[in-house]
Amino acid sequence: MATIGNGSATADWPGRYFHIDQILDKPGPRTDPGFSAGAEARFKLSFRKPFIVWKVEVKAFLRDQAKILVIGAGGLGCEILANLALTGFKDIHVIDMDTIDISNLNRQFLFRSKDVGKSKANVAAEFIMKRVPGVKVTPYFGKIQDKDDDYYMQFHLVICGLDSVEARRWINATLVNLVDPENPESLKPLIDGGTEGFKGQARVILPTITSCYECSLDMLNKQTVFPICTIANTPRLPEHCIEWASVLEWPRIYGDKKMDTDNPDHISWLYKTASARAKEFNIEGVTWSLTQGVVKNIIPAIASTNAIIAAACCNEAFKIATSSAACLNNYFMLIGTDSVYSYTFEHEKRSDCPVCGGESLDFPISRDLTVEELIEMLTEKQDIQIKKPSLSAPTKQIYFQAPPQLEQATRPNLEKKVSELIPEGGEITVTASTLPFSLSLNVIYT
Amino acid sequence: MIKIWSMKKDENAAAKKKPKTSAAQIRVQKDLTELDLPSTMKTSFADPADLLNFTLTITPDEGMYKGGSFKFSFHINTNYPHEPPKVKCIPKIYHPNVDLEGNVCLNILREDWKPVLNLNSVMVGLQYLFLEPNADDPLNKEAAEEMTKNRDRFAANVKNTMRGGHLGSQRYDNVMGAA
Ligand SMILES: [Zn+2]
């Protein structure tokens, strides 16, 4: 498949990208400075190239080379996949671990009732490929955590349409870790979308450059959590009864057996238990779907809000891939709960962010240096001066100042040479009360 | 795309490769190694290599629960500190804010948890429950009622149940033994 520029086999037809080409063929007043040919020497591709050549190359990049990963094939994911395919991205990958539930069909428009029970990623990929000729969508039915750095390295861009904080934190940390200063292509822009009812947000994260997902964790709307004593003694809401069933009754009856919120038998049990409780306290409103909503923390999803946010995310992907306009810097918020209000601002990077903040030092030491001597060095070194540092490697503890049991367990390491514990180029994570979060040392043996 | 890549070049100096230790793991390391516990609290790790699962023993040196030794299990998941640690009281005790299953009513363990709080705050909060049991947030309703109605009888119940005595149909665990 391919288009303009290299004449290879093509699924395109005349005028297929007529509208999009209008954007790419004419720089507008707000076009990114790098867009104009030769305008800025630092843009390699456009440097000293006539605009006509440059625009051909941009189209070729978008349509032949750009490889984009979509995480999540749910409400946002369906919209994102459709938008990307229709704007000209042709090599799209999609990951989702979920299967299609009948309740998804009201908004996840790539699925039909015959698809219930099948993988969202597989069905979505098939649908898009059938509907938009020439687009290749490669699905993966599984978890993002199944994939390693090499897998993520192959993409130019990642778009997330997820409802899980944990998955977002994971992909964010993975992409920040992937950045290698020696290799510009290791920087994978992450575009993250999220919705909740009439509210939503879209943001562009340039790992290590802009604020990351972890930097903004404290901005998250907290899910409603009820005090446990209210649940236990003074329930007033149907939610209190459902929480009572799941938080208190389930472990009391089933002990360590884990509750599976995807198991309809478990939900039925919770529903019955919660209903009995509600009856006892004259509370109305416990339903099967509310039970499922409360225990799975289902956030109300509105198809049209998903459409707005997915569209915002995909426009950013297009702008980043083509440099045809300045991209979002870096947080767009949509609030549709009281009239419609939107706000775009630059969320600031946090210096104490556990993922992108903190400091990392190349740390040359002798192969004979002991852990104790290393700690002395850290304590005495003028520019660091860390009080009581605790040290660990990604898979093991090196020396912990506290608590007493761990101090004792790691004390024998003090006499060992650092080189016995850490390979060349290995990382040591240092924490101390005098550090905002942590310091990482790249060990280099001299 | 090219624009983004060249941006990276401009910022090469600032960019640094990060270790693979997860944010939760580093945060737990930070919390644990900076714990500043009084002699009445002690942590214990069944597997010292596993920082995410451990117990805390509280031995109050004043108040009605003085002389007892109360063990709590801590389970921290990979979403820490976005989510609070899961804490349960292991022995069955008679306390207005702890139910017979070991659930603890401490606001910062649920509705008031914030990522800026840490393990130290949770531990101090737990100890406070033994110094100042709170009848307004009951998990053990009978204990809470007794505490408001008749403080002396409540104190006697506490003393009795800490030795592993019966109260009503309920048998409580002996917490007077080894600390
Ligand atoms: Zn960050």
Side-chain angles (χ1 to χ4, degrees):
Chain A
M1 112 192 85
T3 79
I4 311 155
N6 60 19
S8 60
T10 174
D12 293 338
W13 54 88
R16 178 173 195 179
Y17 296 115
F18 176 78
H19 292 274
I20 282 174
D21 285 349
Q22 308 250 328
I23 307 281
L24 293 178
D25 289 343
K26 293 179 206 102
R30 306 290 294 265
T31 298
D32 192 277
F35 192 71
S36 314
E40 290 204 19
R42 63 194 179 104
F43 302 105
K44 255 200 296 182
L45 201 89
S46 58
F47 180 48
R48 286 195 196 122
K49 267 180 194 155
F51 183 66
I52 182 118
V53 175
W54 185 83
K55 73 184 189 191
V56 164
E57 288 186 355
V58 160
K59 290 176 194 169
F61 176 78
L62 174 67
R63 292 161 198 166
D64 299 343
Q65 293 159 23
K67 208 177 203 187
I68 187 162
L69 174 65
V70 178
I71 300 180
L76 278 166
C78 283
E79 294 277 355
I80 290 170
L81 287 165
N83 285 338
L84 291 177
L86 295 172
T87 37
F89 285 92
K90 286 187 165 172
D91 189 356
I92 304 170
H93 289 236
V94 59
I95 299 189
D96 198 306
M97 62 184 280
D98 282 342
T99 52
I100 298 160
D101 186 83
I102 191 149
S103 65
N104 302 144
L105 302 181
N106 60 4
R107 63 191 183 282
Q108 300 179 17
F109 57 87
L110 301 178
F111 313 137
R112 301 290 176 270
S113 43
K114 66 174 168 45
D115 302 322
V116 168
K118 293 185 194 162
S119 145
K120 287 188 178 178
N122 291 340
V123 174
E126 215 168 285
F127 189 105
I128 295 285
M129 287 197 282
K130 215 164 137 196
R131 173 65 181 75
V132 193
V135 173
K136 193 173 133 209
V137 185
T138 312
Y140 174 69
F141 174 31
K143 291 163 80 172
I144 51 173
Q145 290 88 346
D146 298 343
K147 300 293 190 182
D148 60 8
D149 284 0
D150 287 343
Y151 174 82
Y152 290 105
M153 200 55 136
Q154 66 179 309
F155 300 105
H156 296 105
L157 274 166
V158 179
I159 302 196
C160 273
L162 286 164
D163 55 7
S164 147
V165 173
E166 202 170 347
R168 280 188 172 109
R169 287 180 74 191
W170 189 89
I171 188 68
N172 175 66
T174 300
L175 295 182
V176 171
N177 280 323
L178 215 55
V179 176
D180 171 2
E182 306 299 316
N183 175 14
E185 289 191 38
S186 66
L187 185 96
K188 315 289 179 193
L190 170 63
I191 302 167
D192 179 55
T195 71
E196 182 176 349
F198 286 121
K199 292 187 283 190
Q201 84 283 333
R203 62 191 296 193
V204 170
I205 295 169
L206 304 177
T208 73
I209 297 177
T210 66
S211 105
C212 78
Y213 185 71
E214 193 85 17
C215 287
S216 61
L217 261 189
D218 56 357
M219 276 176 60
L220 283 182
N221 280 336
K222 262 194 72 176
Q223 70 177 97
T224 320
V225 181
F226 304 107
I228 200 160
C229 32
T230 305
I231 297 170
N233 294 305
T234 49
R236 295 179 310 275
L237 303 171
E239 287 86 350
H240 293 158
C241 302
I242 296 164
E243 289 260 294
W244 178 80
S246 66
V247 177
L248 296 173
E249 276 303 276
W250 179 277
R252 196 178 71 80
I253 305 284
Y254 292 109
D256 283 337
K257 185 173 155 194
K258 229 179 128 62
M259 191 173 72
D260 175 6
T261 55
D262 288 324
N263 183 331
D265 294 342
H266 291 189
I267 300 287
S268 288
W269 184 90
L270 292 173
Y271 168 55
K272 270 189 229 139
T273 311
S275 301
R277 172 92 169 163
K279 207 172 161 199
E280 188 188 327
F281 285 87
N282 286 319
I283 296 167
E284 281 176 22
V286 173
T287 60
W288 205 91
S289 67
L290 183 71
T291 306
Q292 194 187 32
V294 168
V295 295
K296 291 186 84 169
N297 186 29
I298 295 176
I299 295 161
I302 297 179
S304 40
T305 311
N306 282 342
I308 299 172
I309 294 299
C313 289
C314 291
N315 280 359
E316 293 315 306
F318 178 84
K319 289 192 281 178
I320 291 172
T322 60
S323 311
S324 55
C327 72
L328 167 64
N329 181 27
N330 50 32
Y331 204 115
F332 164 75
M333 218 148 88
L334 172 78
I335 299 144
T337 41
D338 185 8
S339 178
V340 184
Y341 165 76
S342 78
Y343 182 55
T344 301
F345 64 102
E346 182 175 350
H347 186 268
E348 280 188 34
K349 216 174 143 149
R350 274 177 47 180
S351 60
D352 61 347
C353 170
V355 171
C356 75
E359 271 194 272
S360 173
L361 289 178
D362 283 339
F363 211 70
I365 54 172
S366 144
R367 284 198 170 270
D368 296 323
L369 193 83
T370 64
V371 170
E372 188 161 27
E373 288 164 337
L374 171 67
I375 290 175
E376 253 166 58
M377 255 172 96
L378 291 171
T379 323
E380 282 164 13
K381 223 170 169 263
Q382 274 299 315
D383 51 341
I384 320 183
Q385 286 203 12
I386 300 165
K387 273 192 200 134
K388 288 189 147 198
S390 292
L391 278 54
S392 68
T395 52
K396 55 178 173 276
Q397 300 155 17
I398 301 174
Y399 181 70
F400 276 14
Q401 302 277 356
Q405 187 195 351
L406 299 182
E407 193 280 330
Q408 241 171 34
T410 53
R411 202 183 299 157
N413 283 343
L414 286 175
E415 291 172 11
K416 290 188 189 154
K417 290 175 182 163
V418 178
S419 54
E420 291 171 48
L421 302 166
I422 305 288
E424 172 80 40
E427 300 269 358
I428 297 179
T429 302
V430 183
T431 60
S433 56
T434 49
L435 288 169
F437 192 71
S438 68
L439 169 74
S440 78
L441 306 176
N442 305 316
V443 178
I444 300 159
Y445 295 111
T446 52
Chain B
M1 214 59 231
I2 306 308
K3 164 147 172 75
I4 297 296
W5 293 337
S6 59
M7 229 167 126
K8 190 61 209 167
K9 259 190 189 145
D10 299 343
E11 305 230 356
N12 262 356
K16 281 140 195 165
K17 196 145 167 62
K18 288 294 168 301
K20 302 281 172 194
T21 314
S22 77
Q25 195 78 29
I26 302 176
R27 175 58 198 267
V28 172
Q29 168 178 332
K30 187 168 169 60
D31 278 16
L32 286 173
T33 55
E34 289 166 27
L35 277 181
D36 184 16
L37 296 178
S39 57
T40 48
M41 285 195 271
K42 206 178 142 197
T43 53
S44 168
F45 295 78
D47 171 8
D50 177 8
L51 297 181
L52 304 181
N53 299 288
F54 57 89
T55 62
L56 170 77
T57 305
I58 302 178
T59 48
D61 57 2
E62 54 182 308
M64 277 185 265
Y65 290 88
K66 182 177 170 177
S69 154
F70 304 94
K71 207 176 214 184
F72 290 84
S73 63
F74 276 66
H75 297 287
I76 301 170
N77 70 23
T78 52
N79 222 5
Y80 184 78
H82 183 64
E83 282 176 28
K86 291 199 171 24
V87 176
K88 284 214 165 186
C89 183
I90 298 170
K92 191 184 275 187
I93 63 169
Y94 177 77
H95 189 293
N97 310 114
V98 180
D99 73 10
L100 302 176
E101 312 304 317
N103 294 299
V104 183
C105 188
L106 179 64
N107 61 339
I108 57 170
L109 281 176
R110 270 178 77 84
E111 68 274 16
D112 291 331
W113 171 258
K114 290 183 211 76
V116 293
L117 295 169
N118 57 25
L119 294 175
N120 207 79
S121 7
V122 169
M123 292 175 184
V124 170
L126 288 173
Q127 164 152 284
Y128 187 72
L129 285 182
F130 290 101
L131 304 180
E132 297 284 339
N134 173 5
D136 296 335
D137 296 331
L139 261 189
N140 182 334
K141 228 173 169 176
E142 290 74 39
E145 272 165 16
E146 197 67 77
M147 190 178 144
T148 7
K149 273 199 319 228
N150 187 339
R151 220 178 153 86
D152 289 340
R153 198 154 75 204
F154 173 74
N157 285 348
V158 168
K159 231 175 176 170
N160 171 34
T161 52
M162 276 167 57
R163 289 202 196 88
H166 276 85
L167 188 68
S169 60
Q170 211 43 250
R171 200 194 139 77
Y172 290 87
D173 288 328
N174 185 342
V175 292
M176 301 303 288

